[in-house]
Amino acid sequence: MNESGATFETSRDRHLFGPGAKRLLSLDGGGVRGALTVAFLERIEALLKERHGQEVRLGDYFDLVGGTSTGAVIAGALALGHRTAEVKDFYLKLAPFAFKRQRWAIPVLQAKFDARGLRARIEEVVGDRVLSSPDLITGFCILTKRMDTGSPWLISNNPRAPFWEDGKDYFGNKHYPLVNLVRASTAAPHFFDPELLPISQKEVLPDSVAKPLDVPRPARLVRAVLERIGLRRPVKIDPNVYGLFVDGGVTPHNNPSLAMLQLATLTPYGIKWPVGPKNLTIVSVGTGSHRPRLSIESLGFAGFPKLAYHALMSLMTDAQVLILGLMQWMGECPAPWEINSEVGTLATDAPPGGKMFRFLRYDVRLEAEWLEREINYRASDDMIVRLRGMDDPNLVQELYKIGGLAAEKQVKAEHWLG
């Protein structure tokens, strides 16, 4: 029983629906650059331990944790009660297995990496738990993209959310296995096969509700493509039963903080946290950013394809800049970031009605000038280009080092007085 007179059966419900000020942790996607995130989280946990005089689990401290892609992997571990030292150990071991090239992969027609390694490492952390598992000690959500309907999915363990319970012709979200969900959020096109989830009860045996892992392997989608060009026999996948999911980074929410704010405050989701800097703190951790540039001189012979590719890839950066700008406009920022040279930080602006929350953003800019000026880290132009990639496991330790240097400077004790 708490001061409001309400009782909660689980730690999750106490975090999501209990009284008091709320804290939200949002983790960006970014492949192996998630090592930067781990370093920031270690610093946060250390400062909380110092302030409270005892060990603190971030899953206990935050009322809602969530992420996109690699951020979903880390958020899942935190929501299951793992401390940052365990997350670091897991993450540094994850990269070599997750980014293991497939043998005899056909470019374009097959994914660059074998998803089985990634799935195996995720299973080590989440086991066979489902989204409704009481082992999730706090609110948890992930961002993914359902391609067959063209819609971003923000899936959480919120029991008041639409589609939580079984419907007439669909499985309730509470049955989804965590391994499938996290894999779906990390299924970056080109890098990994997409993930299939059973979303309808059509033509599915009644007892299979508890066994949603019994679905065709994602690799069969590739085989289906090969069949279409005459290299394999047909494989039937019923689109009315299975949803096709890819990395949440292909939505506008590679930085999921805005989507998570909506989950926590909008009426349809049923959580409805009160807003205001004293009521809500949002902590957003990045995986490194930079401004993609393409010069006229670099276009060369394949100018048009190169231009088209860079234009599409820069959409992710544009979306992240937009979300950062909105969050700093709506939030009270003790340490704001410059959005661009035109609008500055937006920290002194506010929407009608004033600031809606307290906002902390920790990140690294993977640009030589910024790295040298801010954290005294020097690197060659070639190394900067490599650090910006998301798929080189050999750089995990270096990225973790950079994250540690940035965290030491950015994450300050006065940010954690509550």
Side-chain angles (χ1 to χ4, degrees), residues 119 122-123 126-130 142 144 155 175-187 194-198 211-216 218 242 245:
R119 174 181 288 275
I122 295 173
E123 283 180 335
V126 305
D128 60 357
R129 297 178 181 92
V130 295
I142 64 112
T144 184
I155 308 176
H175 297 300
Y176 290 167
L178 292 180
V179 65
N180 289 62
L181 292 176
V182 175
R183 243 290 291 156
S185 186
T186 60
E195 181 74 7
L196 293 175
L197 277 176
K211 302 176 182 178
L213 277 172
D214 297 330
V215 300
Y242 300 107
F245 291 86

PDB file of all heavy atoms in Angstrom, residues 119 122-123 126-130 142 144 155 175-187 194-198 211-216 218 242 245:
ATOM      1  N   ARG A 119      20.871 -13.321 -32.077  1.00  0.00           N
ATOM      2  CA  ARG A 119      19.759 -13.925 -31.330  1.00  0.00           C
ATOM      3  C   ARG A 119      20.282 -14.725 -30.132  1.00  0.00           C
ATOM      4  O   ARG A 119      19.725 -14.642 -29.029  1.00  0.00           O
ATOM      5  CB  ARG A 119      18.936 -14.823 -32.236  1.00  0.00           C
ATOM      6  CG  ARG A 119      17.842 -15.590 -31.503  1.00  0.00           C
ATOM      7  CD  ARG A 119      17.067 -16.483 -32.438  1.00  0.00           C
ATOM      8  NE  ARG A 119      16.218 -15.692 -33.311  1.00  0.00           N
ATOM      9  CZ  ARG A 119      15.004 -15.283 -32.959  1.00  0.00           C
ATOM     10  NH1 ARG A 119      14.512 -15.571 -31.764  1.00  0.00           N
ATOM     11  NH2 ARG A 119      14.267 -14.573 -33.790  1.00  0.00           N
ATOM     12  N   ILE A 122      21.229 -12.385 -27.330  1.00  0.00           N
ATOM     13  CA  ILE A 122      20.044 -11.801 -26.705  1.00  0.00           C
ATOM     14  C   ILE A 122      19.364 -12.826 -25.808  1.00  0.00           C
ATOM     15  O   ILE A 122      18.921 -12.516 -24.690  1.00  0.00           O
ATOM     16  CB  ILE A 122      19.068 -11.279 -27.775  1.00  0.00           C
ATOM     17  CG1 ILE A 122      19.697 -10.104 -28.549  1.00  0.00           C
ATOM     18  CG2 ILE A 122      17.753 -10.820 -27.137  1.00  0.00           C
ATOM     19  CD1 ILE A 122      18.877  -9.648 -29.732  1.00  0.00           C
ATOM     20  N   GLU A 123      19.286 -14.063 -26.278  1.00  0.00           N
ATOM     21  CA  GLU A 123      18.653 -15.121 -25.492  1.00  0.00           C
ATOM     22  C   GLU A 123      19.384 -15.358 -24.175  1.00  0.00           C
ATOM     23  O   GLU A 123      18.760 -15.731 -23.172  1.00  0.00           O
ATOM     24  CB  GLU A 123      18.598 -16.416 -26.299  1.00  0.00           C
ATOM     25  CG  GLU A 123      17.511 -16.426 -27.362  1.00  0.00           C
ATOM     26  CD  GLU A 123      17.481 -17.730 -28.146  1.00  0.00           C
ATOM     27  OE1 GLU A 123      18.536 -18.396 -28.220  1.00  0.00           O
ATOM     28  OE2 GLU A 123      16.411 -18.071 -28.669  1.00  0.00           O
ATOM     29  N   VAL A 126      17.671 -12.521 -22.014  1.00  0.00           N
ATOM     30  CA  VAL A 126      16.222 -12.502 -21.789  1.00  0.00           C
ATOM     31  C   VAL A 126      15.618 -13.887 -21.662  1.00  0.00           C
ATOM     32  O   VAL A 126      14.467 -14.028 -21.214  1.00  0.00           O
ATOM     33  CB  VAL A 126      15.509 -11.720 -22.917  1.00  0.00           C
ATOM     34  CG1 VAL A 126      16.079 -10.324 -23.048  1.00  0.00           C
ATOM     35  CG2 VAL A 126      15.606 -12.458 -24.261  1.00  0.00           C
ATOM     36  N   GLY A 127      16.357 -14.929 -22.049  1.00  0.00           N
ATOM     37  CA  GLY A 127      15.828 -16.288 -21.940  1.00  0.00           C
ATOM     38  C   GLY A 127      14.550 -16.463 -22.749  1.00  0.00           C
ATOM     39  O   GLY A 127      14.422 -15.953 -23.857  1.00  0.00           O
ATOM     40  N   ASP A 128      13.578 -17.191 -22.155  1.00  0.00           N
ATOM     41  CA  ASP A 128      12.317 -17.420 -22.848  1.00  0.00           C
ATOM     42  C   ASP A 128      11.206 -16.541 -22.289  1.00  0.00           C
ATOM     43  O   ASP A 128      10.017 -16.838 -22.443  1.00  0.00           O
ATOM     44  CB  ASP A 128      11.918 -18.900 -22.757  1.00  0.00           C
ATOM     45  CG  ASP A 128      11.750 -19.359 -21.298  1.00  0.00           C
ATOM     46  OD1 ASP A 128      11.997 -18.540 -20.381  1.00  0.00           O
ATOM     47  OD2 ASP A 128      11.376 -20.530 -21.091  1.00  0.00           O
ATOM     48  N   ARG A 129      11.582 -15.430 -21.661  1.00  0.00           N
ATOM     49  CA  ARG A 129      10.586 -14.539 -21.065  1.00  0.00           C
ATOM     50  C   ARG A 129       9.743 -13.852 -22.147  1.00  0.00           C
ATOM     51  O   ARG A 129      10.213 -13.628 -23.267  1.00  0.00           O
ATOM     52  CB  ARG A 129      11.261 -13.469 -20.211  1.00  0.00           C
ATOM     53  CG  ARG A 129      12.040 -14.004 -19.017  1.00  0.00           C
ATOM     54  CD  ARG A 129      12.711 -12.853 -18.285  1.00  0.00           C
ATOM     55  NE  ARG A 129      13.488 -13.276 -17.137  1.00  0.00           N
ATOM     56  CZ  ARG A 129      14.777 -13.574 -17.172  1.00  0.00           C
ATOM     57  NH1 ARG A 129      15.437 -13.508 -18.322  1.00  0.00           N
ATOM     58  NH2 ARG A 129      15.411 -13.931 -16.071  1.00  0.00           N
ATOM     59  N   VAL A 130       8.516 -13.494 -21.760  1.00  0.00           N
ATOM     60  CA  VAL A 130       7.633 -12.756 -22.642  1.00  0.00           C
ATOM     61  C   VAL A 130       7.451 -11.350 -22.083  1.00  0.00           C
ATOM     62  O   VAL A 130       7.915 -11.030 -20.981  1.00  0.00           O
ATOM     63  CB  VAL A 130       6.269 -13.466 -22.799  1.00  0.00           C
ATOM     64  CG1 VAL A 130       6.438 -14.802 -23.503  1.00  0.00           C
ATOM     65  CG2 VAL A 130       5.581 -13.634 -21.452  1.00  0.00           C
ATOM     66  N   ILE A 142      10.241  -0.887 -26.628  1.00  0.00           N
ATOM     67  CA  ILE A 142      11.173  -0.896 -27.752  1.00  0.00           C
ATOM     68  C   ILE A 142      10.484  -0.291 -28.977  1.00  0.00           C
ATOM     69  O   ILE A 142       9.262  -0.274 -29.079  1.00  0.00           O
ATOM     70  CB  ILE A 142      11.671  -2.324 -28.094  1.00  0.00           C
ATOM     71  CG1 ILE A 142      10.512  -3.215 -28.568  1.00  0.00           C
ATOM     72  CG2 ILE A 142      12.355  -2.964 -26.917  1.00  0.00           C
ATOM     73  CD1 ILE A 142      10.582  -3.591 -30.000  1.00  0.00           C
ATOM     74  N   THR A 144      10.276  -0.538 -33.114  1.00  0.00           N
ATOM     75  CA  THR A 144      10.563  -1.343 -34.284  1.00  0.00           C
ATOM     76  C   THR A 144       9.661  -0.858 -35.418  1.00  0.00           C
ATOM     77  O   THR A 144       8.808  -0.009 -35.212  1.00  0.00           O
ATOM     78  CB  THR A 144      10.357  -2.851 -33.989  1.00  0.00           C
ATOM     79  OG1 THR A 144      10.742  -3.613 -35.133  1.00  0.00           O
ATOM     80  CG2 THR A 144       8.919  -3.155 -33.630  1.00  0.00           C
ATOM     81  N   ILE A 155       6.277  -0.817 -28.688  1.00  0.00           N
ATOM     82  CA  ILE A 155       5.724  -1.939 -27.929  1.00  0.00           C
ATOM     83  C   ILE A 155       6.267  -1.883 -26.504  1.00  0.00           C
ATOM     84  O   ILE A 155       7.477  -1.797 -26.294  1.00  0.00           O
ATOM     85  CB  ILE A 155       6.099  -3.289 -28.574  1.00  0.00           C
ATOM     86  CG1 ILE A 155       5.737  -3.288 -30.064  1.00  0.00           C
ATOM     87  CG2 ILE A 155       5.395  -4.434 -27.872  1.00  0.00           C
ATOM     88  CD1 ILE A 155       6.155  -4.551 -30.792  1.00  0.00           C
ATOM     89  N   HIS A 175       1.997 -11.565 -24.932  1.00  0.00           N
ATOM     90  CA  HIS A 175       2.536 -12.886 -25.253  1.00  0.00           C
ATOM     91  C   HIS A 175       3.842 -12.824 -26.038  1.00  0.00           C
ATOM     92  O   HIS A 175       4.511 -13.847 -26.194  1.00  0.00           O
ATOM     93  CB  HIS A 175       1.524 -13.688 -26.077  1.00  0.00           C
ATOM     94  CG  HIS A 175       0.244 -13.967 -25.365  1.00  0.00           C
ATOM     95  ND1 HIS A 175       0.175 -14.668 -24.191  1.00  0.00           N
ATOM     96  CD2 HIS A 175      -1.037 -13.630 -25.676  1.00  0.00           C
ATOM     97  CE1 HIS A 175      -1.087 -14.771 -23.807  1.00  0.00           C
ATOM     98  NE2 HIS A 175      -1.834 -14.146 -24.679  1.00  0.00           N
ATOM     99  N   TYR A 176       4.215 -11.659 -26.553  1.00  0.00           N
ATOM    100  CA  TYR A 176       5.384 -11.584 -27.426  1.00  0.00           C
ATOM    101  C   TYR A 176       6.665 -11.930 -26.656  1.00  0.00           C
ATOM    102  O   TYR A 176       6.952 -11.343 -25.603  1.00  0.00           O
ATOM    103  CB  TYR A 176       5.535 -10.198 -28.034  1.00  0.00           C
ATOM    104  CG  TYR A 176       4.494  -9.838 -29.066  1.00  0.00           C
ATOM    105  CD1 TYR A 176       4.363  -8.527 -29.500  1.00  0.00           C
ATOM    106  CD2 TYR A 176       3.644 -10.793 -29.601  1.00  0.00           C
ATOM    107  CE1 TYR A 176       3.415  -8.180 -30.461  1.00  0.00           C
ATOM    108  CE2 TYR A 176       2.695 -10.459 -30.551  1.00  0.00           C
ATOM    109  CZ  TYR A 176       2.582  -9.154 -30.977  1.00  0.00           C
ATOM    110  OH  TYR A 176       1.645  -8.815 -31.918  1.00  0.00           O
ATOM    111  N   PRO A 177       7.479 -12.845 -27.166  1.00  0.00           N
ATOM    112  CA  PRO A 177       8.759 -13.167 -26.513  1.00  0.00           C
ATOM    113  C   PRO A 177       9.717 -11.987 -26.600  1.00  0.00           C
ATOM    114  O   PRO A 177       9.830 -11.334 -27.646  1.00  0.00           O
ATOM    115  CB  PRO A 177       9.287 -14.356 -27.310  1.00  0.00           C
ATOM    116  CG  PRO A 177       8.112 -14.868 -28.088  1.00  0.00           C
ATOM    117  CD  PRO A 177       7.243 -13.693 -28.339  1.00  0.00           C
ATOM    118  N   LEU A 178      10.427 -11.720 -25.515  1.00  0.00           N
ATOM    119  CA  LEU A 178      11.368 -10.607 -25.514  1.00  0.00           C
ATOM    120  C   LEU A 178      12.462 -10.786 -26.557  1.00  0.00           C
ATOM    121  O   LEU A 178      12.898  -9.817 -27.178  1.00  0.00           O
ATOM    122  CB  LEU A 178      11.996 -10.460 -24.125  1.00  0.00           C
ATOM    123  CG  LEU A 178      11.076  -9.996 -22.995  1.00  0.00           C
ATOM    124  CD1 LEU A 178      11.852  -9.893 -21.694  1.00  0.00           C
ATOM    125  CD2 LEU A 178      10.430  -8.662 -23.333  1.00  0.00           C
ATOM    126  N   VAL A 179      12.902 -12.018 -26.774  1.00  0.00           N
ATOM    127  CA  VAL A 179      13.970 -12.226 -27.747  1.00  0.00           C
ATOM    128  C   VAL A 179      13.525 -11.821 -29.139  1.00  0.00           C
ATOM    129  O   VAL A 179      14.289 -11.221 -29.903  1.00  0.00           O
ATOM    130  CB  VAL A 179      14.468 -13.692 -27.721  1.00  0.00           C
ATOM    131  CG1 VAL A 179      13.392 -14.669 -28.156  1.00  0.00           C
ATOM    132  CG2 VAL A 179      15.705 -13.845 -28.608  1.00  0.00           C
ATOM    133  N   ASN A 180      12.268 -12.113 -29.489  1.00  0.00           N
ATOM    134  CA  ASN A 180      11.757 -11.714 -30.800  1.00  0.00           C
ATOM    135  C   ASN A 180      11.635 -10.201 -30.918  1.00  0.00           C
ATOM    136  O   ASN A 180      11.956  -9.608 -31.950  1.00  0.00           O
ATOM    137  CB  ASN A 180      10.397 -12.352 -31.066  1.00  0.00           C
ATOM    138  CG  ASN A 180      10.487 -13.839 -31.312  1.00  0.00           C
ATOM    139  OD1 ASN A 180      10.920 -14.579 -30.436  1.00  0.00           O
ATOM    140  ND2 ASN A 180      10.088 -14.290 -32.488  1.00  0.00           N
ATOM    141  N   LEU A 181      11.157  -9.572 -29.847  1.00  0.00           N
ATOM    142  CA  LEU A 181      10.951  -8.127 -29.880  1.00  0.00           C
ATOM    143  C   LEU A 181      12.270  -7.375 -30.005  1.00  0.00           C
ATOM    144  O   LEU A 181      12.403  -6.456 -30.821  1.00  0.00           O
ATOM    145  CB  LEU A 181      10.207  -7.678 -28.618  1.00  0.00           C
ATOM    146  CG  LEU A 181       8.761  -8.129 -28.493  1.00  0.00           C
ATOM    147  CD1 LEU A 181       8.185  -7.698 -27.148  1.00  0.00           C
ATOM    148  CD2 LEU A 181       7.908  -7.572 -29.632  1.00  0.00           C
ATOM    149  N   VAL A 182      13.238  -7.769 -29.189  1.00  0.00           N
ATOM    150  CA  VAL A 182      14.535  -7.093 -29.249  1.00  0.00           C
ATOM    151  C   VAL A 182      15.197  -7.350 -30.593  1.00  0.00           C
ATOM    152  O   VAL A 182      15.788  -6.446 -31.199  1.00  0.00           O
ATOM    153  CB  VAL A 182      15.428  -7.542 -28.080  1.00  0.00           C
ATOM    154  CG1 VAL A 182      16.819  -6.941 -28.211  1.00  0.00           C
ATOM    155  CG2 VAL A 182      14.807  -7.131 -26.749  1.00  0.00           C
ATOM    156  N   ARG A 183      15.105  -8.587 -31.078  1.00  0.00           N
ATOM    157  CA  ARG A 183      15.657  -8.900 -32.402  1.00  0.00           C
ATOM    158  C   ARG A 183      14.983  -8.069 -33.477  1.00  0.00           C
ATOM    159  O   ARG A 183      15.635  -7.579 -34.415  1.00  0.00           O
ATOM    160  CB  ARG A 183      15.462 -10.386 -32.707  1.00  0.00           C
ATOM    161  CG  ARG A 183      16.740 -11.170 -32.881  1.00  0.00           C
ATOM    162  CD  ARG A 183      17.465 -10.811 -34.160  1.00  0.00           C
ATOM    163  NE  ARG A 183      16.726 -11.273 -35.332  1.00  0.00           N
ATOM    164  CZ  ARG A 183      16.844 -10.752 -36.545  1.00  0.00           C
ATOM    165  NH1 ARG A 183      17.658  -9.746 -36.741  1.00  0.00           N
ATOM    166  NH2 ARG A 183      16.162 -11.221 -37.566  1.00  0.00           N
ATOM    167  N   ALA A 184      13.662  -7.865 -33.360  1.00  0.00           N
ATOM    168  CA  ALA A 184      12.938  -7.066 -34.347  1.00  0.00           C
ATOM    169  C   ALA A 184      13.465  -5.635 -34.374  1.00  0.00           C
ATOM    170  O   ALA A 184      13.660  -5.042 -35.439  1.00  0.00           O
ATOM    171  CB  ALA A 184      11.442  -7.073 -34.040  1.00  0.00           C
ATOM    172  N   SER A 185      13.727  -5.078 -33.198  1.00  0.00           N
ATOM    173  CA  SER A 185      14.204  -3.700 -33.134  1.00  0.00           C
ATOM    174  C   SER A 185      15.618  -3.552 -33.668  1.00  0.00           C
ATOM    175  O   SER A 185      16.027  -2.457 -34.060  1.00  0.00           O
ATOM    176  CB  SER A 185      14.152  -3.191 -31.686  1.00  0.00           C
ATOM    177  OG  SER A 185      14.486  -1.824 -31.615  1.00  0.00           O
ATOM    178  N   THR A 186      16.378  -4.668 -33.711  1.00  0.00           N
ATOM    179  CA  THR A 186      17.769  -4.608 -34.189  1.00  0.00           C
ATOM    180  C   THR A 186      17.933  -5.123 -35.610  1.00  0.00           C
ATOM    181  O   THR A 186      19.057  -5.213 -36.100  1.00  0.00           O
ATOM    182  CB  THR A 186      18.683  -5.435 -33.269  1.00  0.00           C
ATOM    183  OG1 THR A 186      18.242  -6.799 -33.273  1.00  0.00           O
ATOM    184  CG2 THR A 186      18.662  -4.911 -31.840  1.00  0.00           C
ATOM    185  N   ALA A 187      16.827  -5.465 -36.278  1.00  0.00           N
ATOM    186  CA  ALA A 187      16.904  -6.081 -37.612  1.00  0.00           C
ATOM    187  C   ALA A 187      17.126  -5.014 -38.683  1.00  0.00           C
ATOM    188  O   ALA A 187      16.255  -4.725 -39.515  1.00  0.00           O
ATOM    189  CB  ALA A 187      15.629  -6.880 -37.900  1.00  0.00           C
ATOM    190  N   PRO A 194      15.115  -9.622 -41.557  1.00  0.00           N
ATOM    191  CA  PRO A 194      13.975  -9.117 -40.782  1.00  0.00           C
ATOM    192  C   PRO A 194      13.485 -10.179 -39.807  1.00  0.00           C
ATOM    193  O   PRO A 194      13.887 -11.343 -39.873  1.00  0.00           O
ATOM    194  CB  PRO A 194      12.921  -8.805 -41.853  1.00  0.00           C
ATOM    195  CG  PRO A 194      13.287  -9.681 -42.997  1.00  0.00           C
ATOM    196  CD  PRO A 194      14.784  -9.799 -42.972  1.00  0.00           C
ATOM    197  N   GLU A 195      12.627  -9.760 -38.894  1.00  0.00           N
ATOM    198  CA  GLU A 195      12.072 -10.673 -37.894  1.00  0.00           C
ATOM    199  C   GLU A 195      10.585 -10.873 -38.147  1.00  0.00           C
ATOM    200  O   GLU A 195       9.856  -9.919 -38.464  1.00  0.00           O
ATOM    201  CB  GLU A 195      12.277 -10.095 -36.486  1.00  0.00           C
ATOM    202  CG  GLU A 195      11.772 -10.957 -35.356  1.00  0.00           C
ATOM    203  CD  GLU A 195      12.659 -12.171 -35.080  1.00  0.00           C
ATOM    204  OE1 GLU A 195      13.746 -12.268 -35.695  1.00  0.00           O
ATOM    205  OE2 GLU A 195      12.269 -13.014 -34.247  1.00  0.00           O
ATOM    206  N   LEU A 196      10.133 -12.124 -38.005  1.00  0.00           N
ATOM    207  CA  LEU A 196       8.717 -12.442 -38.131  1.00  0.00           C
ATOM    208  C   LEU A 196       8.097 -12.613 -36.747  1.00  0.00           C
ATOM    209  O   LEU A 196       8.685 -13.247 -35.875  1.00  0.00           O
ATOM    210  CB  LEU A 196       8.519 -13.732 -38.926  1.00  0.00           C
ATOM    211  CG  LEU A 196       8.907 -13.702 -40.394  1.00  0.00           C
ATOM    212  CD1 LEU A 196       8.774 -15.089 -40.996  1.00  0.00           C
ATOM    213  CD2 LEU A 196       8.030 -12.713 -41.154  1.00  0.00           C
ATOM    214  N   LEU A 197       6.920 -12.027 -36.553  1.00  0.00           N
ATOM    215  CA  LEU A 197       6.167 -12.214 -35.318  1.00  0.00           C
ATOM    216  C   LEU A 197       4.749 -12.652 -35.661  1.00  0.00           C
ATOM    217  O   LEU A 197       4.129 -12.093 -36.583  1.00  0.00           O
ATOM    218  CB  LEU A 197       6.091 -10.906 -34.523  1.00  0.00           C
ATOM    219  CG  LEU A 197       7.270 -10.542 -33.630  1.00  0.00           C
ATOM    220  CD1 LEU A 197       7.035  -9.172 -33.007  1.00  0.00           C
ATOM    221  CD2 LEU A 197       7.470 -11.569 -32.536  1.00  0.00           C
ATOM    222  N   PRO A 198       4.203 -13.638 -34.926  1.00  0.00           N
ATOM    223  CA  PRO A 198       2.796 -14.003 -35.147  1.00  0.00           C
ATOM    224  C   PRO A 198       1.899 -12.940 -34.527  1.00  0.00           C
ATOM    225  O   PRO A 198       1.921 -12.723 -33.326  1.00  0.00           O
ATOM    226  CB  PRO A 198       2.668 -15.335 -34.418  1.00  0.00           C
ATOM    227  CG  PRO A 198       3.696 -15.283 -33.349  1.00  0.00           C
ATOM    228  CD  PRO A 198       4.836 -14.457 -33.888  1.00  0.00           C
ATOM    229  N   LYS A 211       3.402 -20.132 -27.508  1.00  0.00           N
ATOM    230  CA  LYS A 211       4.604 -20.555 -28.208  1.00  0.00           C
ATOM    231  C   LYS A 211       4.837 -19.737 -29.479  1.00  0.00           C
ATOM    232  O   LYS A 211       4.980 -20.271 -30.558  1.00  0.00           O
ATOM    233  CB  LYS A 211       4.507 -22.026 -28.584  1.00  0.00           C
ATOM    234  CG  LYS A 211       4.293 -22.962 -27.393  1.00  0.00           C
ATOM    235  CD  LYS A 211       4.104 -24.382 -27.885  1.00  0.00           C
ATOM    236  CE  LYS A 211       3.830 -25.318 -26.723  1.00  0.00           C
ATOM    237  NZ  LYS A 211       3.588 -26.706 -27.184  1.00  0.00           N
ATOM    238  N   PRO A 212       4.861 -18.399 -29.353  1.00  0.00           N
ATOM    239  CA  PRO A 212       5.018 -17.595 -30.561  1.00  0.00           C
ATOM    240  C   PRO A 212       6.397 -17.668 -31.185  1.00  0.00           C
ATOM    241  O   PRO A 212       6.630 -17.063 -32.205  1.00  0.00           O
ATOM    242  CB  PRO A 212       4.705 -16.173 -30.070  1.00  0.00           C
ATOM    243  CG  PRO A 212       4.913 -16.214 -28.610  1.00  0.00           C
ATOM    244  CD  PRO A 212       4.665 -17.593 -28.158  1.00  0.00           C
ATOM    245  N   LEU A 213       7.313 -18.413 -30.582  1.00  0.00           N
ATOM    246  CA  LEU A 213       8.622 -18.591 -31.214  1.00  0.00           C
ATOM    247  C   LEU A 213       8.565 -19.577 -32.366  1.00  0.00           C
ATOM    248  O   LEU A 213       9.487 -19.676 -33.159  1.00  0.00           O
ATOM    249  CB  LEU A 213       9.639 -19.085 -30.180  1.00  0.00           C
ATOM    250  CG  LEU A 213      10.298 -18.008 -29.309  1.00  0.00           C
ATOM    251  CD1 LEU A 213      11.132 -18.663 -28.216  1.00  0.00           C
ATOM    252  CD2 LEU A 213      11.161 -17.083 -30.130  1.00  0.00           C
ATOM    253  N   ASP A 214       7.469 -20.369 -32.453  1.00  0.00           N
ATOM    254  CA  ASP A 214       7.354 -21.376 -33.502  1.00  0.00           C
ATOM    255  C   ASP A 214       6.914 -20.733 -34.811  1.00  0.00           C
ATOM    256  O   ASP A 214       5.776 -20.876 -35.241  1.00  0.00           O
ATOM    257  CB  ASP A 214       6.357 -22.459 -33.088  1.00  0.00           C
ATOM    258  CG  ASP A 214       6.823 -23.210 -31.855  1.00  0.00           C
ATOM    259  OD1 ASP A 214       8.047 -23.317 -31.667  1.00  0.00           O
ATOM    260  OD2 ASP A 214       5.966 -23.680 -31.095  1.00  0.00           O
ATOM    261  N   VAL A 215       7.814 -19.962 -35.407  1.00  0.00           N
ATOM    262  CA  VAL A 215       7.519 -19.256 -36.647  1.00  0.00           C
ATOM    263  C   VAL A 215       8.624 -19.583 -37.642  1.00  0.00           C
ATOM    264  O   VAL A 215       9.700 -20.042 -37.271  1.00  0.00           O
ATOM    265  CB  VAL A 215       7.442 -17.722 -36.426  1.00  0.00           C
ATOM    266  CG1 VAL A 215       6.356 -17.389 -35.444  1.00  0.00           C
ATOM    267  CG2 VAL A 215       8.768 -17.185 -35.950  1.00  0.00           C
ATOM    268  N   PRO A 216       8.384 -19.358 -38.923  1.00  0.00           N
ATOM    269  CA  PRO A 216       9.440 -19.597 -39.905  1.00  0.00           C
ATOM    270  C   PRO A 216      10.675 -18.762 -39.610  1.00  0.00           C
ATOM    271  O   PRO A 216      10.567 -17.622 -39.181  1.00  0.00           O
ATOM    272  CB  PRO A 216       8.789 -19.172 -41.226  1.00  0.00           C
ATOM    273  CG  PRO A 216       7.331 -19.289 -40.984  1.00  0.00           C
ATOM    274  CD  PRO A 216       7.130 -18.942 -39.540  1.00  0.00           C
ATOM    275  N   PRO A 218      13.690 -16.236 -40.080  1.00  0.00           N
ATOM    276  CA  PRO A 218      13.810 -15.075 -40.953  1.00  0.00           C
ATOM    277  C   PRO A 218      14.545 -15.362 -42.251  1.00  0.00           C
ATOM    278  O   PRO A 218      14.271 -14.755 -43.274  1.00  0.00           O
ATOM    279  CB  PRO A 218      14.568 -14.073 -40.073  1.00  0.00           C
ATOM    280  CG  PRO A 218      14.228 -14.468 -38.680  1.00  0.00           C
ATOM    281  CD  PRO A 218      14.102 -15.965 -38.709  1.00  0.00           C
ATOM    282  N   TYR A 242       1.592 -13.496 -39.884  1.00  0.00           N
ATOM    283  CA  TYR A 242       2.888 -13.014 -39.433  1.00  0.00           C
ATOM    284  C   TYR A 242       3.124 -11.566 -39.854  1.00  0.00           C
ATOM    285  O   TYR A 242       2.826 -11.176 -40.987  1.00  0.00           O
ATOM    286  CB  TYR A 242       4.010 -13.883 -40.008  1.00  0.00           C
ATOM    287  CG  TYR A 242       3.905 -15.328 -39.591  1.00  0.00           C
ATOM    288  CD1 TYR A 242       3.493 -16.300 -40.499  1.00  0.00           C
ATOM    289  CD2 TYR A 242       4.203 -15.715 -38.297  1.00  0.00           C
ATOM    290  CE1 TYR A 242       3.391 -17.621 -40.121  1.00  0.00           C
ATOM    291  CE2 TYR A 242       4.096 -17.032 -37.900  1.00  0.00           C
ATOM    292  CZ  TYR A 242       3.691 -17.991 -38.819  1.00  0.00           C
ATOM    293  OH  TYR A 242       3.580 -19.293 -38.428  1.00  0.00           O
ATOM    294  N   PHE A 245       8.999  -7.407 -39.409  1.00  0.00           N
ATOM    295  CA  PHE A 245       9.554  -6.304 -38.621  1.00  0.00           C
ATOM    296  C   PHE A 245      11.027  -6.077 -38.915  1.00  0.00           C
ATOM    297  O   PHE A 245      11.790  -7.034 -39.118  1.00  0.00           O
ATOM    298  CB  PHE A 245       9.378  -6.586 -37.129  1.00  0.00           C
ATOM    299  CG  PHE A 245       7.950  -6.545 -36.672  1.00  0.00           C
ATOM    300  CD1 PHE A 245       7.148  -7.673 -36.775  1.00  0.00           C
ATOM    301  CD2 PHE A 245       7.411  -5.380 -36.147  1.00  0.00           C
ATOM    302  CE1 PHE A 245       5.828  -7.646 -36.359  1.00  0.00           C
ATOM    303  CE2 PHE A 245       6.086  -5.345 -35.734  1.00  0.00           C
ATOM    304  CZ  PHE A 245       5.300  -6.479 -35.834  1.00  0.00           C
TER     305      PHE A 245
END
